[in-house]
Amino acid sequence: MTPDTGLDEKPPAGSDPERSPDHGAVPADPAGRGACLRDLFYKAASFGRVEVRGITPIPVKERTVERTVNIFTLWWSMNTNILGITFGMLAPVYGLDLRNSALVILFFTLLTTLLPAYLCTLGPKIGMRQMLQARYSFGRYLVSIPVLLNLATLISFCVIMAVIGGQCLSSVADGNLSVTVGIVITAVLTLGISFCGFTVLHIYERYAWIPAIISIIVAVGTGGSELHKQVTYAEPPPASSVLSFGMIVASYMVPWACLSSDFTTYLKPDTSSLKIFTYSYLGLATPTILLMTLGAAIGNAIPNVPHWQAAYDETLVGGVLAAMLAPAGGFGKFLVVLLSFSLLGNLAATSYSVTLNLQLLAPFLVKVPRYLFSVVFVVIVIPVAIRAAADFFVNLENVVALIGYWSSAFLAVVLVEHFWFRGADCTAYDPEAWNDASRLPWGVAALGAGVLSFGLVVPSMAQVWWTGPIAQTTGDIGFELAFVVSGVLYVPLRWLEKRWAGR
């Protein structure tokens, strides 16, 4: 069905959106068992608000959604949960007290949110999901490399959220529910929203933030008396610690830009770009700054609050939140369950983008219905999350830091292509060329710029397993250099590619 977000938009008269190729469905072959199965799936989808369209461009006639505020509620709900708190709790790892970590969170969030907020504005005008737009710089085949990296990024975030959700559920069950079972419950609950797609996703996100923010406020109210017991540091943090924690904040924000337009493609093309940008920016930045700062406060108080430390040692983030809500008794346990379910808003939207990205991973996968990939997603996430839970914060720190490097290089290429070579003109993206390798760039320039930038990125990385010679002095500045260097290199490389390929 044509996705709607509360306005009951209808497809054009005379069209059959469940079967029309223009709506992204693969026409059924009248012969063969495969055709029967496809017909069965389309009939099943017609009983509910299930988005049949996959990665194919959205025609102008189907970009009819006018409820622009949905993009605000979506980003707000995706970030109003305990994931931001978890990231903020990494601040003490870098020796940052509450004041310094709050300043780092504020600056890096305000800066890096510009990328996803801007790319959201392109969705209604181009009518393409974010990684499909990347074909216009990376080409039809080489785009599979950033798509694979993006899938690894999105699934990593989903694994992190599934683990946190499992920890929360386990922490209130008095030992009667393992983290593993909690992970399975969290992942399976995500399936229904992701399966249905755009319409149900936006409807869910419109309200999902309400119980989450109530639970967080109560947790701060009941446990706030302990938050003043902050760890003090004898020396101010060195610049290297500031930049390395800034890398963690950036790695939380920058990857949103790799799926931004996935959520705006059905908006009317004449929707105000300023309105989309403002809604996106505020929806992303506001809850992130507040909740990461809260996480930094909790992380710096844990060593000085014995029962918080004991709960943290047992079930990490979930345990601390349960300890904070313990004064509320049974109601507090109920709120911890709500906090675990608050992650569903983020999980559902991220897994929705995963289903779209899987269709781009290889050309033949576009024929597989998008919603079937939601099942594949759950099958992948559950075992990986169970394994990652064994050493959660070490895995979190290692994985998240790596995310910022590739995504910065990728986004620099996409933005230089848009501004430099296409003059920021959305009509320069030929929607008919999206699946035609002969009309798309080779992608050699885009991939080459990203790969070559790592000549400077690697010496500038500061990881547990590697600290480059530049990073030893400056701290981790890998994502900044990845963005600048790949963008600069792409200009001459793309010029040469256009000269040789003629496109």
Side-chain angles (χ1 to χ4, degrees):
M1 295 179 65
T2 300
D4 75 76
T5 51
L7 297 181
D8 297 324
E9 295 86 353
K10 296 180 180 179
S15 67
D16 182 358
E18 307 296 49
R19 300 293 304 278
S20 168
D22 288 339
H23 202 69
V26 180
D29 181 354
R33 186 176 303 174
C36 295
L37 289 174
R38 282 194 296 268
D39 284 343
L40 179 62
F41 286 128
Y42 296 139
K43 288 177 182 178
S46 67
F47 285 104
R49 289 183 168 183
V50 178
E51 181 185 5
V52 175
R53 176 180 294 283
I55 198 65
T56 55
I58 315 298
V60 173
K61 65 183 180 182
E62 293 179 20
R63 294 180 231 159
T64 57
V65 176
E66 296 178 345
R67 192 183 175 96
T68 317
V69 72
N70 273 0
I71 193 61
F72 171 78
T73 55
L74 181 134
W75 288 121
W76 179 272
S77 286
M78 286 177 69
N79 289 278
T80 304
N81 55 59
I82 52 180
L83 182 63
I85 295 174
T86 305
F87 272 71
M89 288 175 67
L90 288 171
V93 174
Y94 297 92
L96 298 179
D97 60 16
L98 178 57
R99 174 184 175 277
N100 289 313
S101 58
L103 290 173
V104 172
I105 291 166
L106 178 65
F107 174 78
F108 278 90
T109 301
L110 292 178
L111 177 64
T112 53
T113 305
L114 294 170
L115 292 173
Y118 175 74
L119 289 175
C120 275
T121 67
L122 302 185
K125 294 174 173 56
I126 300 177
M128 298 182 200
R129 318 295 183 137
Q130 199 63 63
M131 297 307 288
L132 183 59
Q133 292 178 29
R135 280 190 174 182
Y136 291 77
S137 47
F138 283 86
R140 186 187 181 203
Y141 300 108
L142 291 183
V143 78
S144 296
I145 296 175
V147 166
L148 184 61
L149 292 170
N150 196 39
L151 280 168
T153 297
L154 299 180
I155 291 174
S156 295
F157 271 107
C158 290
V159 165
I160 291 167
M161 288 182 279
V163 171
I164 298 170
Q167 290 170 348
C168 287
L169 292 176
S170 177
S171 68
V172 299
D174 299 324
N176 296 319
L177 181 73
S178 68
V179 173
T180 296
V181 175
I183 287 170
V184 173
I185 293 172
T186 304
V188 171
L189 287 174
T190 307
L191 177 60
I193 305 169
S194 174
F195 184 90
C196 292
F198 190 94
T199 299
V200 172
L201 176 65
H202 274 282
I203 293 174
Y204 177 80
E205 302 287 9
R206 199 180 303 165
Y207 308 105
W209 63 273
I210 298 174
I213 204 163
I214 291 173
S215 302
I216 291 168
I217 290 172
V218 174
V220 174
T222 56
S225 60
E226 306 284 5
L227 283 176
H228 72 280
K229 299 177 181 179
Q230 294 287 299
V231 172
T232 56
Y233 298 89
E235 299 290 335
S240 58
S241 294
V242 170
L243 289 172
S244 294
F245 182 58
M247 173 66 186
I248 296 294
V249 178
S251 295
Y252 179 91
M253 296 304 299
V254 171
W256 292 131
C258 299
L259 48 85
S260 293
S261 70
D262 291 1
F263 310 119
T264 61
T265 47
Y266 285 100
L267 291 171
K268 295 181 68 174
D270 60 354
T271 303
S272 167
S273 293
L274 178 60
K275 184 181 291 187
I276 295 173
F277 178 88
T278 303
Y279 279 150
S280 301
Y281 193 90
L282 293 177
L284 276 161
T286 307
T288 299
I289 291 169
L290 295 175
L291 294 177
M292 275 198 187
T293 303
L294 174 60
I298 294 171
N300 275 295
I302 287 175
N304 293 330
V305 184
H307 65 284
W308 284 14
Q309 184 69 64
Y312 172 83
D313 291 340
E314 188 168 346
T315 49
L316 299 177
V317 181
V320 174
L321 292 171
M324 292 177 69
L325 285 162
F331 180 62
K333 290 187 175 182
F334 171 70
L335 292 179
V336 175
V337 174
L338 288 184
L339 284 174
S340 71
F341 291 159
S342 73
L343 293 163
L344 295 179
N346 196 319
L347 265 168
T350 305
S351 62
Y352 172 70
S353 287
V354 168
T355 64
L356 296 168
N357 277 251
L358 284 169
Q359 285 192 313
L360 273 178
L361 192 57
F364 69 90
L365 290 176
V366 74
K367 297 181 180 180
V368 180
R370 179 205 62 80
Y371 45 83
L372 292 186
F373 282 120
S374 60
V375 180
V376 175
F377 161 80
V378 172
V379 171
I380 294 172
V381 164
I382 289 176
V384 176
I386 291 171
R387 177 64 185 88
D391 203 352
F392 177 65
F393 269 105
V394 172
N395 290 324
L396 173 63
E397 185 181 353
N398 290 341
V399 171
V400 169
L402 290 173
I403 288 169
Y405 305 132
W406 87 263
S407 54
S408 292
F410 166 79
L411 291 168
V413 167
V414 170
L415 289 170
V416 170
E417 175 70 31
H418 180 69
F419 284 104
W420 187 282
F421 292 101
R422 298 183 188 269
D425 180 8
C426 291
T427 63
Y429 296 83
D430 179 6
E432 302 298 324
W434 74 275
N435 204 32
D436 187 348
S438 65
R439 299 164 67 182
L440 292 168
W442 285 345
V444 175
L447 188 62
V451 171
L452 290 174
S453 71
F454 275 75
L456 271 177
V457 170
V458 172
S460 306
M461 293 165 54
Q463 299 297 316
V464 174
W465 39 268
W466 163 257
T467 300
I470 297 176
Q472 289 176 357
T473 302
T474 64
D476 196 322
I477 56 173
F479 94 92
E480 295 96 333
L481 285 176
F483 188 83
V484 173
V485 176
S486 59
V488 170
L489 289 174
Y490 184 62
V491 174
L493 292 176
R494 179 72 173 110
W495 180 83
L496 289 172
E497 183 182 77
K498 287 185 70 175
R499 187 177 180 89
W500 291 333
R503 58 182 188 272

